[in-house]
Amino acid sequence: MFFIRSWLGTIWIYAWIAFGVLATCVFGWFVPQKWVVFFWNRMLLKTALWGLHRLGGICIEVRGLQHINQERAIYASKHESALETYVLTTIITRGVMILKKELTYIPFFGWAQWLYGLIPVDRGAGARAMKKMLSAAKKRVAEKRPIIIFPEGHRMKPGSTQKYKPGFLFMAQNLEVPIVPVALNTGMFWPRSSTKHFPGKVIIEFMEPMMPSDDKRLFIETLQKKIEDKCAELNAETVKNYPYTEVNLGGEKQKTA
């Protein structure tokens, strides 16, 4: 039954995303960007996630709604699977993500991301890339679009982490906006390296905003501990309620400082 529900939910959500990509590539050139954002976040992705719940048995619970700022903030989120990239912008309804520049080169998919207004970053370009990213972020924040970033840089298995990259703090200091830590348990139900998904309750938890400090090292370590500790709590809660998800937990944590 798990296998059947997993495939039904997967087919449903990716069919809707494929439709959204094609529709954006056809019409996105001719309409204001805010219409593209509305189409994705208020209509298409909500429909896709509704079907994932009904067919795949994955529901979404959002905690800490009082900490969400829909206009001026940077959301530093744990990254465990593709699922949070679909969920977060349905909660932060005008949110814009930072993504690897290489992803924008993918035909249709990359074009749709550009039309949506996502911010690409060339990780190999050093300071020049940071300046371009900051310039694009300033423009988005001026348009009242908060920023979503994954400080680890790529997806991690639940229970694992690595040193957070400092780019989000550089951006927050220059934009003078708070950083909202985001913990989640998506990887327990949507493993990053598997097409098999597990039914249950995905939790996205927003925590109290943190204003950037001048002590970069201490701030990043504090933020990382806050996010990772909360993720550990969510993972323990998940295993208690859905014991079959324990197989998706990672091993010992990697170096965090």
Side-chain angles (χ1 to χ4, degrees), residues 114-130:
W114 183 81
L115 289 164
Y116 178 92
L118 298 188
I119 302 173
V121 58
D122 184 353
R123 294 178 179 174
R128 182 166 57 87
M130 290 299 293

Side-chain angles (χ1 to χ4, degrees), residues 10 21 34 61 75 97 104 107 152 154 200 214 229 248 254:
T10 301
V21 166
K34 65 180 181 180
E61 178 182 335
Y75 293 87
M97 292 185 182
T104 63
E152 288 163 303
H154 56 83
D214 294 330
D229 286 353
N248 295 321
Q254 300 174 32

Side-chain angles (χ1 to χ4, degrees), residues 8 38-39 42 53 67 78-79 89 93 107-108 116 138 144-145 163 186 210 212 230 232:
L8 287 173
F38 182 88
F39 167 69
R42 300 294 186 93
H53 179 200
H67 300 311
K78 184 69 176 175
H79 194 18
T89 53
T93 53
F108 298 102
Y116 178 92
K138 284 181 177 178
K144 297 184 178 180
R145 299 191 65 183
K163 186 176 180 180
T186 52
M210 302 170 62
K230 179 57 67 174

Side-chain angles (χ1 to χ4, degrees), residues 37-97:
V37 174
F38 182 88
F39 167 69
W40 275 94
N41 298 349
R42 300 294 186 93
M43 299 172 64
L44 187 137
L45 286 175
K46 284 187 176 292
T47 302
L49 293 172
W50 173 85
L52 182 66
H53 179 200
R54 296 298 180 183
L55 298 173
I58 296 178
C59 62
I60 311 295
E61 178 182 335
V62 182
R63 299 177 182 175
L65 284 170
Q66 70 273 22
H67 300 311
I68 294 176
N69 183 328
Q70 294 284 7
E71 294 186 359
R72 289 181 54 84
I74 290 176
Y75 293 87
S77 175
K78 184 69 176 175
H79 194 18
E80 293 182 352
S81 79
L83 185 57
E84 58 265 19
T85 64
Y86 311 139
V87 174
L88 283 172
T89 53
T90 66
I91 305 165
I92 309 161
T93 53
R94 289 176 51 80
V96 57
M97 292 185 182

